[in-house]
Amino acid sequence: WEVALAVFFLAHVPTTLLVDMQCVLPEEVVPEFARAALRWETVFLKDPLMATCPPWFRSLVVCEAVFQLPFFFVGAYAFALGKPWIRIPALVYGAHTVTTLVPILHTFWSDEAIAGLGAPEETVPKTFQQKLVLTSLYAPWVVVPLLLTLRMAIWAYPGRAGTPKEKAP
């Protein structure tokens, strides 16, 4: 599990830098291949948030850049080497990430929320299947942080064999 977490965190670095950060960076600093990949994603996967980058979504991307991106390196290091001090930072990361996905996933499933984005028609998921595909794209950033949060809440020493933490008297 710890090695899988390290890989998950390191794999998220290019996604954050090359895709998500396009919502907050000037277009001229983003490589053309990354802009092309985002154009493909917004049309093929019907991602209206990345197509429009509304202000509330940009604020989540800034949080991702400021808080989550540094944590990816710290988390990968700590989980790869079994460092017990990662427990509290991992709890914070996991809870924060799961919480940020609530408005994102709500938007995908709410026709009213999608309409309010003013997204180009070709980037709007209309069918149940399109919404399911888009949700599955974002699902790892709900499932893994949620499992991480639960694990860190239950186990006293992540990365070490042991028993669930003892309850205080």
Side-chain angles (χ1 to χ4, degrees):
W1 166 252
E2 283 75 17
V3 172
L5 284 171
V7 170
F8 173 81
F9 292 137
L10 291 177
H12 197 158
V13 170
T15 304
T16 297
L17 293 174
L18 296 172
V19 179
D20 299 350
M21 293 294 293
Q22 289 188 52
C23 280
V24 296
L25 291 175
E27 185 177 311
E28 56 272 7
V29 302
V30 178
E32 176 54 37
F33 77 90
R35 291 195 310 266
L38 181 59
R39 285 190 299 271
W40 176 85
E41 176 197 334
T42 59
V43 174
F44 185 75
L45 297 174
K46 307 284 187 206
D47 190 339
L49 288 177
M50 288 303 297
T52 60
C53 296
W56 66 266
F57 185 67
R58 286 194 308 268
S59 71
L60 297 180
V61 172
V62 169
C63 287
E64 180 180 0
V66 172
F67 301 114
Q68 293 181 31
L69 185 60
F71 179 80
F72 297 151
F73 296 101
V74 172
Y77 168 80
F79 283 110
L81 298 179
K83 302 293 184 184
W85 52 258
I86 195 61
R87 183 170 173 263
I88 298 301
L91 275 165
V92 172
Y93 162 80
H96 166 76
T97 303
V98 169
T99 303
T100 64
L101 268 292
V102 171
I104 291 170
L105 295 178
H106 171 266
T107 299
F108 296 157
W109 290 92
S110 167
D111 292 336
E112 180 183 2
I114 289 176
L117 295 173
E121 197 63 28
E122 68 272 10
T123 67
V124 175
K126 295 179 184 82
T127 67
F128 178 82
Q129 182 179 358
Q130 290 171 338
K131 291 177 182 191
L132 197 58
V133 166
L134 184 57
T135 299
S136 69
L137 174 70
Y138 284 77
W141 290 277
V142 174
V143 174
V144 173
L146 181 60
L147 292 175
L148 176 64
T149 301
L150 294 172
R151 170 104 190 262
M152 296 299 107
I154 294 170
W155 294 93
Y157 299 105
R160 309 265 193 256
T163 59
K165 67 180 182 173
E166 295 178 14
K167 296 188 185 232

